[in-house]
């Protein structure tokens, strides 16, 4: 895997830049609202606009660029992201900020899907899971470091400064991609073949597994801070430390899951969902005692992103030589699951049952686990090497 290291490293860096943008604005809402003369609630729609761009626009962009050579597409998507970030940084009105966010979001799912597929194309046989988790770790580091550092920069230098930095990093990432990415011909598959892959029963089930299973994490994580302060009695500073530990755990869990996926995809994905269901069931009881709450947060962090490698690997296994649109749809499914979980968690919180949100999350994780038994039996018929070389023509 040594020869693939530079490619994976630059793909990981690029995913970090793109991933940082998604939730960056969340920590800058008061400053943004005041500067653009809108309410904080209205400013929050910049998060919604980005999420919709990822869920809806990502697969559309991926579909429209199926026949574009992969290296040129990667560069184009990074430049599109840079353009959106620049518009956001210079936005004179809130409408311009929304426009910049949407432009950036259009490259998000398509670029992440392309990065994951390209990662498998440079990975040695039997190491596709590790390659996927390596590139996906850029997203977990974005959550762990990129978003908090961006928020800190925004507090000190104004909310526009982080978007200026993102623009510069995106341009640097595009330059590095131009150097390290190998030239690749356009995929042999046409759009109709990509659509046919997405409509396959195992692929649809895998996408549903992603959306449903990941929503279980979002039900609890979205409201984790008020849960830890209001029920566990932690201070705001202690909660910040726990969230940092959660992020570190998610980073390690993602990398570990990649290695385990290379050994057994079915055991990994079922083990992760089973573990998530278990920790979410005990969460309402663990938060009543601070040491147990700390342990529950750490385990939840470890398992939260461990679904990425096996679920993306599952998509790639069934996608054959037409994986791009399916992977982009699965990236959107992660975002859809996060949004759905946040909505459900909000309903539970509004009903005064914040402490018991883990039980709803456990039901969703168990549903995701049940779905894996529908999709994985057919996966056994497909040879393992297919996952490692599925993107050779991507």
């Amino acid at each position: 895997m040594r020869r693939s290291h530079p490619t994976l490293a630059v793909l990981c860096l690029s995913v970090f830049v793109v991933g940082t943008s998604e939730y960056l604005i969340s920590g800058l809402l008061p400053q943004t609202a005041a500067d653009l003369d809108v309410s904080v609630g209205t400013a929050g729609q910049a998060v919604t606009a980005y999420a919709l761009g990822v869920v809806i626009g990502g697969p559309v962009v991926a579909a429209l660029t199926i026949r574009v050579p992969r290296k040129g597409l990667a560069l184009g998507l990074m430049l599109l992201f840079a353009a959106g970030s620049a518009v956001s940084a210079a936005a004179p009105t809130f409408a311009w900020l929304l426009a910049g966010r949407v432009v950036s979001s259009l490259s998000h799912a398509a670029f992440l899907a392309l990065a994951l597929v390209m990662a498998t194309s440079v990975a040695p046989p039997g190491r596709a899971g590790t390659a996927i988790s390596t590139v996906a770790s850029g997203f977990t580091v974005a959550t762990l470091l990129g978003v908090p550092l961006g928020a800190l920069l925004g507090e000190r230098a104004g909310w526009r400064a982080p978007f200026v930095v993102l623009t510069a990093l995106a341009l640097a990432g595009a330059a590095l991609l131009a150097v390290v990415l190998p030239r690749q011909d356009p995929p042999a598959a046409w759009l109709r073949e990509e659509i046919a892959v997405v409509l396959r029963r195992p692929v649809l089930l895998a996408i549903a597994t992603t959306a449903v299973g990941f929503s279980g994490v979002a039900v609890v994580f979205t409201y984790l801070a008020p849960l830890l302060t209001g029920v566990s009695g932690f201070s705001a500073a202690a909660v910040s430390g726990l969230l940092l530990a959660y992020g570190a755990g998610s980073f390690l869990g993602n990398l570990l899951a990649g290695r385990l996926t290379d050994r057994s995809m079915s055991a990994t994905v079922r083990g992760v969902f089973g573990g998530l269901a278990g920790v979410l069931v005990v969460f309402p009881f663990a938060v009543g005692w601070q040491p147990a709450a700390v342990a529950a947060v750490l385990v939840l962090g470890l398992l939260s992103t461990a679904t990425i490698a096996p679920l993306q690997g599952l998509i790639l296994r069934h996608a054959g030589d037409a994986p791009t649109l399916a992977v982009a749809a699965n990236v959107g499914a992660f975002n859809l699951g996060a949004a759905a979980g946040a909505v459900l968690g909000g309903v539970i919180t509004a009903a005064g049952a914040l402490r018991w949100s883990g039980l709803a999350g456990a039901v969703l994780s168990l549903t995701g686990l049940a779905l894996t038994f529908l999709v994985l039996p057919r996966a056994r018929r497909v040879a393992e090497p297919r996952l490692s070389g599925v993107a050779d023509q991507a």
Side-chain angles (χ1 to χ4, degrees):
M1 199 170 181
R2 185 173 302 170
R3 297 180 63 182
S4 65
H5 284 169
T7 301
L8 294 178
V10 174
L11 287 172
C12 178
L13 174 63
S14 301
V15 168
F16 164 78
V17 174
V18 174
T20 297
S21 178
E22 182 167 11
Y23 297 110
L24 175 62
I25 195 70
S26 299
L28 304 171
L29 291 181
Q31 305 97 304
T32 305
D35 185 45
L36 298 179
D37 195 25
V38 296
S39 68
V40 172
T42 299
Q45 298 310 304
V47 179
T48 304
Y50 194 99
L52 290 175
V54 173
V55 174
I56 301 173
V60 172
V61 172
L64 294 175
T65 56
I66 288 297
R67 297 294 296 169
V68 177
R70 303 294 88 178
K71 182 173 181 176
L73 178 58
L75 297 178
L77 290 173
M78 283 302 291
L79 292 175
L80 178 65
F81 176 84
S85 297
V87 170
S88 297
T93 65
F94 182 67
W96 276 99
L97 175 62
L98 282 182
R101 294 285 290 167
V102 170
V103 170
S104 292
S105 72
L106 292 177
S107 70
H108 182 111
F111 181 81
L112 183 52
L114 179 62
L116 294 175
V117 173
M118 294 188 78
T120 63
S121 73
V122 300
R127 300 294 299 278
T130 300
I132 290 172
S133 65
T134 298
V135 172
S137 66
F139 194 82
T140 60
V141 174
T143 304
L144 175 62
L145 292 178
V147 173
L149 290 177
L152 181 62
L153 176 62
E155 290 174 2
R156 296 189 176 183
W159 69 270
R160 299 176 188 272
F163 288 102
V164 173
V165 173
L166 278 181
T167 302
L169 290 176
L171 292 174
L176 290 173
L177 288 171
V179 173
V180 304
L181 287 185
R183 290 187 177 276
Q184 296 178 340
D185 294 329
W190 292 88
L191 178 57
R192 62 178 178 275
E193 296 172 84
E194 293 273 354
I195 294 175
V197 164
V198 174
L199 295 179
R200 290 177 185 171
R201 181 175 178 272
V203 173
L204 288 174
L205 284 172
I207 292 172
T209 301
T210 297
V212 174
F214 195 70
S215 64
V217 176
V219 168
V220 173
F221 178 72
T222 306
Y223 300 91
L224 189 56
L227 181 63
L228 293 174
T229 54
V231 178
S232 303
F234 287 104
S235 66
V239 169
S240 296
L242 283 173
L243 291 176
L244 185 64
Y246 175 98
S250 67
F251 173 74
L252 295 175
N254 170 62
L255 293 179
L256 179 61
R259 293 183 178 275
L260 293 176
T261 297
D262 289 333
R263 297 185 178 183
S264 174
M265 184 184 299
S266 59
T268 301
V269 70
R270 288 169 181 165
V272 169
F273 276 129
L276 280 174
V279 70
L280 289 170
V281 163
V282 304
F283 221 88
F285 309 98
V287 293
W289 184 44
Q290 287 190 350
V294 171
V297 169
L298 293 177
V299 174
L300 182 63
L302 191 67
L303 294 173
S304 62
T305 57
T307 56
I308 295 176
L311 288 174
Q312 292 290 14
L314 188 61
I315 290 288
L316 288 170
R317 172 178 283 183
H318 286 292
D321 294 327
T324 307
L325 185 57
V327 174
N330 203 43
V331 171
F334 274 103
N335 289 77
L336 183 62
V343 170
L344 179 57
V347 171
I348 294 172
T349 300
L354 172 62
R355 178 171 183 170
W356 306 101
S357 59
L359 298 182
V363 171
L364 291 168
S365 293
L366 286 174
T367 304
L369 176 61
L371 287 171
T372 67
F373 285 92
L374 295 178
V375 64
L376 280 166
R378 293 190 63 183
R380 297 193 191 103
R381 301 177 192 171
V382 184
E384 279 291 341
R386 183 99 185 220
L387 177 57
S388 301
V390 69
D392 290 344
Q393 298 179 15

